[in-house]
Amino acid sequence: MIRSKAEKPNWTRKVNKGYLMEAESVLTEERMSKVLFLESIDSTNLFLKNISEEAPDRQVVMADEQTRGRGRLGRSFESPKNKGIYLSYLMRPSSIPEDTALITAWTAVAVCRAVKKICNIEPGIKWVNDLILNNKKFCGILTEMDIDEHGKIRSLIIGIGVNVNEDTGDLDAALKDKATSLKQELGREINRNVLAFEIIRELDRMYDDWPDEKEGYLNEYRRYSIMTGKDVSVTRIAVTDDKDLEAYKKRYGRVLGIGDDFSLTVEFDDGSRENLNAGEVSVRGMYGYAR
Ligand code: BTN
């Protein structure tokens, strides 16, 4: 893990008691003692990473705003104030790094469950872990890990960003065809805290289930997945020695399904088949992509 050069943050700086009332019916007081609320922070993932040595297992950090929210593949994640959920969760699973992709996929299922329960709407999963409604993304997941000298996971930070009450003007105009919020799709505001606490409850359940309940999560992931039968373009991503991301040329094909290891099975136009574990997959007709 690359540690930020910044000083260790003071992580006792804000606990807003108002939140505790809303949490009462969902999470116990003991659970809430491991949930930290920040008004504004560069990135909740980065903050949690910086306190991860002292923080207890299952520590959660939430912020009302992120000034440098981080997305996958070095992208940024827009995090306007008081609009979305920006939440990071610390796990110390007895796992090897290869399991990280699985845990991220399980997380997508956990967040779908929470959204379904609180918003009464069924989201879809665009492989690997974008949650979508009406072909637009409203939630992204970024998992970052710290590995020990024996190659085992020391800590895993699962970052979840949900667009909840953003109006069109709150999101980058360039993302107009790609991004949405729960409010835009439902036509009403959603209580961010109620949804966030349900997400935490589902993440705790997922952690309890890991790794034994694989079959259940896989079946549910397949049910939520919108990928099967879709035409896609695949851009392989390679990580070079200096951690720069290098994109290779695009290939086109059709998705056959989700493999037992949550990989994406694609049949390419030349007839070859591959189970993809990483890479960037664009779905025709989604996120403004047309071939
Ligand atoms: C993606 O879709 O590319 C992943 C987005 C992940 C955003 C969340 S918001 C909370 C946590 N803190 C961050 O800086 N990123 C994640």
Side-chain angles (χ1 to χ4, degrees), residues 158-191:
I158 303 174
I160 298 166
V162 188
N163 297 343
V164 183
N165 289 324
E166 285 87 345
D167 295 302
T168 19
D170 295 319
L171 296 169
D172 186 347
L175 299 176
K176 191 170 67 68
D177 299 326
K178 303 181 182 177
T180 189
S181 68
L182 289 166
K183 181 182 172 190
Q184 285 173 51
E185 299 308 318
L186 293 165
R188 62 184 162 88
E189 294 225 344
I190 295 292
N191 185 318

Side-chain angles (χ1 to χ4, degrees), residues 42-46 66 68-73 75-77 79 85-88 129-130 137 139-142 158-162:
D42 48 2
S43 152
T44 54
N45 265 26
L46 203 56
Q66 292 186 123
R68 282 186 53 214
R70 290 138 48 108
R72 288 176 63 235
L73 307 173
R75 295 180 184 134
S76 59
F77 184 82
S79 316
I85 293 172
Y86 319 117
L87 181 156
S88 298
N129 46 35
D130 285 355
K137 173 172 170 172
C139 168
I141 300 167
L142 173 68
I158 303 174
I160 298 166
V162 188

Side-chain angles (χ1 to χ4, degrees), residues 25-27 109-123 182 186 188 190 194-195 197-199 201-202 205 220 224:
S25 56
V26 191
L27 303 174
V109 170
V111 180
C112 280
R113 286 176 178 168
V115 169
K116 199 170 159 182
K117 177 162 176 203
I118 301 300
C119 306
N120 204 15
I121 192 171
E122 176 117 1
L182 289 166
L186 293 165
R188 62 184 162 88
I190 295 292
V194 170
L195 179 56
F197 298 140
E198 190 61 30
I199 290 173
R201 212 171 65 92
E202 286 295 346
R205 178 177 164 200
E220 219 170 316
Y224 285 118

Side-chain angles (χ1 to χ4, degrees), residues 2 34 39 109 144 187 229 245 287 290:
I2 306 166
K34 290 194 257 176
E39 269 168 18
V109 170
E144 301 183 275
L245 294 169
Y287 296 2

